[in-house]
Amino acid sequence: ARAILDELIEKGRVVRGVLGVNIDTMSAAQAVQRRIKNVPGAVVDGVGNNTPARRAGLQVNDVITAVDGQAVKSARDLLRLLAPRKPGETVSVTFSRNSEDKTVSITLAEST
């Protein structure tokens, strides 16, 4: 809370780095419905145009499973890991697509 207060005092707003995706927590029912492997993580529900995630090749139904080697088991985990990150920082994002794990480096953009 102190860091947020300091940032509000200094900049007048809170600046966060973002991937540019809409996410949800993967449930077993969603996995069956979407015909994807049920892995713990944050499922990508949407990818914004001209966003870091789009440029890195993330797609709808990818399941983000780690950021900088730290496990992502839910959408909440992903948000928690990205919250302290600033625009311009680069993170390593591991995701599952079609039962294959991939890792990409993504430079975060500023939230709008």
Side-chain angles (χ1 to χ4, degrees), residues 18-21 47-59 62 64 90-95 97 102-108:
V18 296
L19 293 173
V21 294
V47 182
N49 293 328
N50 198 29
T51 62
R54 172 85 57 188
R55 290 187 290 275
L58 285 176
Q59 300 175 6
D62 287 347
I64 298 172
T90 300
V91 294
S92 174
V93 176
T94 302
F95 62 95
R97 177 187 300 153
K102 300 178 181 210
T103 302
V104 293
S105 290
I106 300 178
T107 301
L108 302 175

Side-chain angles (χ1 to χ4, degrees), residues 44-90:
V44 176
D45 280 338
V47 182
N49 293 328
N50 198 29
T51 62
R54 172 85 57 188
R55 290 187 290 275
L58 285 176
Q59 300 175 6
V60 171
N61 289 334
D62 287 347
V63 181
I64 298 172
T65 57
V67 172
D68 288 340
Q70 294 185 310
V72 171
K73 295 183 180 179
S74 66
R76 186 176 181 165
D77 281 349
L78 179 60
L79 295 174
R80 179 184 52 79
L81 289 170
L82 293 177
R85 306 303 179 105
K86 301 293 180 203
E89 285 188 48
T90 300

Side-chain angles (χ1 to χ4, degrees), residues 1 10 12 14 27-28 35 43 66 73 98 104:
E10 180 183 327
V14 178
S27 70
R35 297 182 180 155
V43 64
K73 295 183 180 179
N98 300 325
V104 293

Side-chain angles (χ1 to χ4, degrees), residues 30-44:
Q30 285 174 316
V32 169
Q33 180 182 15
R34 296 172 187 228
R35 297 182 180 155
I36 58 177
K37 182 180 173 186
N38 185 23
V39 295
V43 64
V44 176

